């Protein structure tokens, strides 16, 4: 016993272990926000030169940019319909149906739905362009011709619907995976108890499955809403935001203003606006859905 | 309240037969335990009665009406699951009221019946809590109230006490039995715990390998087991079982021979409960040996005796240890308490070995046993 010294528990050094994460956050998250915020108050263009510090960009957003109301409307329709119809609705439907069928078949279907997420965005975009192509080589055109129906040009006539479809079919797999595991974690006897208590299969879905999904759906809603508001790669690839600005949501509008029109400073100011919208929506949802209650106590004691 | 009849009911999952054709009648108001080791098909039987499984063949009838193809929700059964299966998002009140949502029961009536069921199981003060805020015992009471609130025809209990601590289990045992008697509701309890079955049930269905090994009162199963399985499963410590061979009226066990009360020929197993054995002086005892181990257990002392017939367990009541390890003792018992089972394991009714040695083995018996 004389050689072995009993060492008292030493508190961990959280700062040391968190350093890599903090550094990454600072360089790739806080840094850009800071740079963006500064640029937003300048007149920077493609030559990257700052002539003066000004509030003109914000004045332009609020008063002079006539496209803003339409872009906001497009964003609302795009985010709202993609989110509720596909990213949550279809995802939940897929989770429920693929867990109700035999396990192997369910796994197969879920794997199938994950495929577009794994394929490169450009390839996926090309696929949709081919589907929507109005010439006789397009997939939809081939179907309409075979059925003797008039040809529709989706990219031109229904661009927003097309981007909602393209984004939604990829986006649904996120909720599908999360909700599948939520459904699997419901104790089997809970459904049996409901059946014995008089519930039909719909009743089981409503009283046992739905309550178990409400918490993860809250998380998916908030997460996917933010992600839909800020990403635009499929839209850029499939419709380019057009015709004109018909399928341009806010995030793509920022890109087009900044890089198509060369108005860097104006783009930065718009981006700042998107950030404010994102923070407001997050805080609102946090408040409305009591997200804190979903937090679990840590499993290990560090400090 | 209902009488339950099972006619040739069997259940298979694909190729695997989990329940062999079963015939059974449970009387109205009876409290019956289904007892058996895990995997014997006892829970399957319960879920068949609940309507959660459909029988592969045969007919299940409540009060003479065939319910084999009736959905669980239309059978009006109450069930308490081992895990309690309370709805986590509902309060205790809502949990208990849940079955009434699917019946045309008005709000005041629902409130009254919930209060009634809650007070029956003494959880009136917990109605506004959520299941996660309750202890295991309280959750179990909520599950029982939920099962009783719809005034079911039959009450099914799937190992309801196995998740409770020992003290609570004993208390709940008595309480369940009292509630059952008060409501007079036909009740089936599935358990692997023989004490639970023996203390609570009017009759026990002892199951093994997907079939009924014996149905009877607790006393039937304990004193008159139909076969070796029941004899070995019921009773702790288990019955002593010794292999032997019978020829005519002579039973040979190891080197000893005993006189049989009737003729029998073939391999047999002789069974004797440890508490039916008295330890006496080796002289004149039908079997003798050396004490191999002594385990004082408070109210009784548990001895293991090495005999020519193998190790025999004996229980002596009282806390005094009267024999030390290594001591030579004789074993004796009332002849009618010794049971004989044939080669297939079925009990040979009315056949007992006499304690006096058979005449033709007199010389063998005169020699010291060890």
């Amino acid at each position: 016993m004389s050689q072995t010294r009993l060492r008292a528990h030493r508190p961990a050094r959280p700062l040391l272990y968190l350093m890599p994460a903090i550094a990454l956050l600072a360089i790739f998250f806080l840094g850009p926000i800071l740079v963006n915020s500064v640029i937003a108050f300048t007149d920077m263009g493609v030559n990257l030169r700052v002539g003066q510090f000004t509030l003109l960009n914000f004045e332009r957003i609020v008063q002079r940019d006539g496209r803003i109301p339409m872009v906001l409307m497009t964003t609302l329709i795009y985010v709202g319909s993609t989110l509720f119809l596909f990213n949550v609705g279809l995802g939940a439907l897929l989770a429920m149906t693929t867990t109700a069928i035999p396990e192997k078949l369910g796994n197969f279907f879920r794997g199938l739905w994950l495929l577009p997420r794994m394929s490169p965005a450009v390839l996926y975009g090309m696929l949709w362009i081919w589907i929507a192509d109005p010439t006789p080589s397009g997939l939809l055109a081939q179907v309409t011709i075979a059925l003797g129906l008039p040809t529709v040009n989706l990219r031109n006539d229904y661009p927003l619907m097309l981007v909602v479809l393209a984004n939604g079919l990829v986006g649904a797999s996120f909720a599908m995976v999360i909700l599948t595991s939520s459904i699997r974690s419901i104790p089997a006897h809970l459904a049996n108890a409901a059946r014995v208590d008089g519930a039909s299969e719909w009743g089981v879905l409503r009283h046992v499955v739905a309550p178990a999904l409400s918490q993860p759906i809250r998380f998916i809603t908030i997460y996917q809403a933010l992600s839909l508001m800020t990403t635009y790669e499929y839209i850029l690839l499939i419709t380019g935001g057009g015709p004109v600005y018909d399928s341009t949501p806010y995030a793509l509008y920022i890109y087009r203003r900044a890089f198509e029109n060369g108005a860097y400073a104006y783009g930065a100011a718009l981006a700042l606006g998107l950030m404010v919208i994102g923070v407001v929506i997050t805080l609102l949802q946090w408040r409305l859905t009591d997200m804190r209650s979903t937090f679990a106590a840590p499993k290990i004691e560090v400090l | 309240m209902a009488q339950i009849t099972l006619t040739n009911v069997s259940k298979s999952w694909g190729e695997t037969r989990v329940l062999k054709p079963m015939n059974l009648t449970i009387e109205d108001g009876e409290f019956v335990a289904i007892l058996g080791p895990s995997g014997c098909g006892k829970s399957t039987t319960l879920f068949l009665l609940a309507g959660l499984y459909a029988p592969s063949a045969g007919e299940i009838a409540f009060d003479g009406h065939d319910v084999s193809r009736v959905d669980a929700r239309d059978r009006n059964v109450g069930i308490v699951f081992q895990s309690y299966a309370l709805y986590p998002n509902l309060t205790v009140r809502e949990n208990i009221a849940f079955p009434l949502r699917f019946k045309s029961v008005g709000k005041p009536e629902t409130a009254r019946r919930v209060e009634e069921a809650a007070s029956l199981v003494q959880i009136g003060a917990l109605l506004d809590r959520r299941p996660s805020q309750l202890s295991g015992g309280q959750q179990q009471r909520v599950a029982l109230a939920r099962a009783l609130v719809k005034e079911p025809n039959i009450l099914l209990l799937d190992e309801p006490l196995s998740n409770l601590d020992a003290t609570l289990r004993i208390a709940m045992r008595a309480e369940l039995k009292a509630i059952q008697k008060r409501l007079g509701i036909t009740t089936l309890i599935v358990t692997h715990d023989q004490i639970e079955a023996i203390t609570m049930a009017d009759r026990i269905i002892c199951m093994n390998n997907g079939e009924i090994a014996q149905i009877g009162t607790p006393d039937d199963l304990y004193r008159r087991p139909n076969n070796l399985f029941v004899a070995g499963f019921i009773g702790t410590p288990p019955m002593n079982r010794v292999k032997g061979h019978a020829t005519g009226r002579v039973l040979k066990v190891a080197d000893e021979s005993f006189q049989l009360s009737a003729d029998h020929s073939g391999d047999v197993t002789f069974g004797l409960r440890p508490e039916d054995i008295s330890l006496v002086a080796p002289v004149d005892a039908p079997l003798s040996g050396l004490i191999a181990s002594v385990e004082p257990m408070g109210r009784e002392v548990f001895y293991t005796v090495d005999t020519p017939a193998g190790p025999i367990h004996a229980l002596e009541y009282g806390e005094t240890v009267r024999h030390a390890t290594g001591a030579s003792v004789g074993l004796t018992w009332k002849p009618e308490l010794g049971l004989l089972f044939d080669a297939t394991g079925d009990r040979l009714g009315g056949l007992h070995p006499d304690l006096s040695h058979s005449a033709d083995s007199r010389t063998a018996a005169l020699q010291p046993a060890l």
Side-chain angles (χ1 to χ4, degrees):
Chain A
M1 268 313 275
S2 55
Q3 280 97 346
T4 55
R5 290 227 309 275
L6 294 174
R7 193 166 61 88
H9 171 74
R10 246 184 358 210
R13 300 181 183 86
L15 206 61
L16 188 74
Y17 295 111
L18 288 176
M19 216 49 217
I22 291 172
L24 279 174
L25 270 179
I27 295 168
F28 293 108
F29 190 72
L30 297 174
I33 289 176
L34 205 71
V35 171
N36 183 80
S37 305
V38 172
I39 295 173
F41 290 93
T42 67
D43 59 353
M44 185 190 279
V46 273
N47 55 9
L48 298 179
R49 223 171 286 144
V50 176
Q52 55 166 336
F53 286 92
T54 170
L55 289 173
L56 271 177
N57 294 323
F58 297 99
E59 194 198 312
R60 188 173 159 196
I61 295 175
V62 184
Q63 291 177 354
R64 286 190 288 122
D65 193 334
R67 295 213 183 272
I68 292 276
M70 190 197 145
V71 164
L72 286 177
M73 199 50 173
T74 307
T75 313
L76 191 71
I77 295 170
Y78 164 69
V79 173
S81 45
T82 314
L83 183 65
F84 292 109
L85 294 180
F86 292 94
N87 288 14
V88 173
L90 181 63
L93 189 71
L94 283 171
M96 286 191 263
T97 47
T98 57
T99 46
I101 57 178
E103 180 151 356
K104 271 194 178 161
L105 202 62
N107 286 339
F108 173 73
F109 274 115
R110 279 197 297 277
L112 220 57
W113 277 99
L114 280 170
L115 272 181
R117 201 174 272 279
M118 291 181 237
S119 58
V122 174
L123 196 70
Y124 184 69
M126 293 290 288
L127 204 70
W128 275 99
I129 290 173
W130 169 63
I131 290 171
D133 194 67
T135 68
S137 56
L139 180 68
L140 190 69
Q142 286 177 31
V143 175
T144 52
I145 288 166
L147 294 175
L149 299 168
T151 322
V152 280
N153 186 350
L154 283 180
R155 283 168 73 203
N156 205 53
D157 302 337
Y158 305 98
L160 204 52
M161 192 188 86
L162 186 64
V163 298
V164 165
L165 265 173
N167 262 287
L169 291 181
V170 182
S173 57
F174 181 79
M176 177 188 75
V177 169
I178 292 187
L179 296 179
T180 296
S181 76
S182 303
I183 291 173
R184 289 241 174 95
S185 67
I186 300 172
H189 281 326
L190 219 49
N192 281 338
R195 287 186 190 112
V196 170
D197 284 346
S200 61
E201 292 310 298
W202 281 113
V204 172
L205 212 59
R206 189 178 145 215
H207 296 291
V208 176
V209 180
L213 298 189
S214 81
Q215 289 285 11
I217 280 179
R218 281 176 217 176
F219 161 74
I220 292 165
T221 307
I222 202 169
Y223 182 89
Q224 295 274 325
L226 291 175
S227 131
L228 281 170
M229 271 195 296
T230 53
T231 54
Y232 52 80
E233 79 247 43
Y234 291 136
I235 307 174
L236 189 63
L237 285 164
I238 296 168
T239 67
V244 197
Y245 279 89
D246 282 4
S247 61
T248 301
Y250 197 94
L252 183 58
Y253 186 65
I254 300 172
Y255 171 85
R256 293 181 73 179
R257 278 288 179 227
F259 298 103
E260 282 179 11
N261 305 5
Y264 283 10
Y266 187 53
L270 285 169
L272 218 54
L274 182 60
M275 214 176 74
V276 171
I277 295 172
V279 169
V280 167
I281 289 180
T282 310
L283 288 179
L284 236 127
Q285 266 199 321
W286 180 277
R287 267 299 173 83
L288 290 178
T289 60
D290 190 23
M291 278 292 239
R292 185 168 282 281
S293 68
T294 64
F295 287 18
K299 300 268 188 302
I300 54 168
E301 194 174 314
V302 180
L303 293 177
Chain B
M1 319 296 124
Q3 181 207 53
I4 304 165
T5 322
L6 273 68
T7 318
N8 289 320
V9 170
S10 68
K11 180 69 188 171
S12 306
W13 299 110
E15 295 287 292
T16 332
R17 173 165 270 193
V18 290
L19 217 58
K20 291 169 192 155
M22 178 188 271
N23 289 290
L24 181 65
T25 301
I26 294 161
E27 294 306 327
D28 186 11
E30 209 177 6
F31 196 158
V32 172
I34 306 181
L35 176 68
S38 37
C40 72
K42 55 190 192 300
S43 287
T44 306
T45 310
L46 201 75
F47 292 159
L48 282 170
L49 290 173
L52 294 170
Y53 297 163
S56 303
E59 187 194 283
I60 299 169
F62 291 172
D63 278 338
H65 303 291
D66 183 3
V67 295
S68 311
R69 304 285 149 199
V70 175
D71 282 340
R73 62 188 171 125
D74 298 320
R75 287 202 191 180
N76 198 29
V77 298
I79 185 162
V80 176
F81 291 93
Q82 184 176 4
S83 58
Y84 315 135
L86 300 178
Y87 310 113
N89 53 311
L90 303 182
T91 62
V92 167
R93 189 190 304 278
E94 291 163 339
N95 260 285
I96 299 173
F98 190 78
L100 300 181
R101 283 191 195 192
F102 304 99
K103 300 187 164 202
S104 44
V105 176
K107 267 197 175 160
E109 170 77 355
T110 299
R112 189 188 60 76
R113 278 165 71 170
V114 169
E115 296 281 344
E116 205 177 271
S119 69
L120 182 72
V121 296
Q122 300 169 29
I123 48 163
L126 308 172
L127 285 176
D128 293 312
R129 297 216 196 153
R130 291 199 183 266
S132 57
Q133 298 168 301
L134 303 179
S135 70
Q138 290 168 334
Q139 289 188 38
Q140 206 245 11
R141 285 165 189 269
V142 177
L144 187 59
R146 184 180 63 184
L148 291 172
V149 78
K150 60 179 149 183
E151 292 163 4
N153 289 327
I154 57 173
L155 177 64
L156 304 174
L157 311 167
D158 186 18
E159 309 233 9
L161 307 178
S162 59
N163 288 352
L164 303 180
D165 63 60
T167 327
L168 198 54
R169 201 177 312 156
I170 292 169
M172 276 311 287
R173 229 152 61 189
E175 204 173 314
L176 266 178
K177 190 173 179 172
I179 289 173
Q180 193 272 337
K181 285 282 166 271
R182 205 160 108 206
L183 301 178
I185 182 168
T186 313
T187 303
L188 269 104
I189 182 170
V190 156
T191 177
H192 62 265
D193 181 346
Q194 48 171 304
I195 307 292
E196 240 168 73
I198 288 171
T199 51
M200 293 165 79
D202 302 321
R203 274 199 304 162
I204 297 173
I205 301 166
C206 190
M207 288 185 67
N208 186 34
N209 277 332
E211 59 186 339
I212 295 174
Q214 186 171 1
I215 306 178
T217 62
D219 191 52
D220 283 338
L221 269 67
Y222 193 81
R223 278 296 157 204
R224 293 169 290 282
N226 277 352
N227 47 53
L228 270 176
F229 171 77
V230 177
F233 191 73
I234 309 268
T236 24
M239 182 183 278
N240 291 298
R241 281 156 291 172
V242 177
K243 294 236 178 288
H245 188 85
T247 326
R249 284 212 163 206
V250 179
L251 167 69
K252 280 201 80 137
V253 174
D255 289 337
E256 310 280 337
S257 294
F258 298 94
Q259 187 80 39
L260 281 175
S261 55
D263 274 359
H264 184 76
S265 287
D267 284 333
V268 293
T269 304
F270 174 55
L272 190 59
R273 295 214 175 267
E275 70 271 25
D276 295 336
I277 297 173
S278 307
L279 297 180
V280 295
V283 205
D284 292 336
L287 204 60
S288 56
L290 298 177
I291 303 239
S293 77
V294 181
E295 295 167 46
M297 306 204 295
R299 187 180 36 185
E300 65 236 350
V301 184
F302 183 58
Y303 295 96
T304 306
V305 186
D306 273 334
T307 71
I312 300 282
H313 302 299
L315 266 183
E316 262 196 354
Y317 290 97
E319 57 244 60
T320 338
V321 176
R322 296 198 299 119
H323 311 278
T325 310
S328 175
V329 291
L331 286 74
T332 185
W333 59 90
K334 287 186 186 152
E336 67 273 19
L337 294 178
L339 305 176
L340 278 175
F341 301 88
D342 68 13
T344 59
D346 289 334
R347 183 163 62 89
L348 298 162
L351 197 62
H352 307 282
D354 273 344
L355 294 198
S356 56
H357 289 271
S358 173
D360 66 333
S361 67
R362 186 55 69 189
T363 42
L366 282 175
Q367 284 161 7
L370 284 164

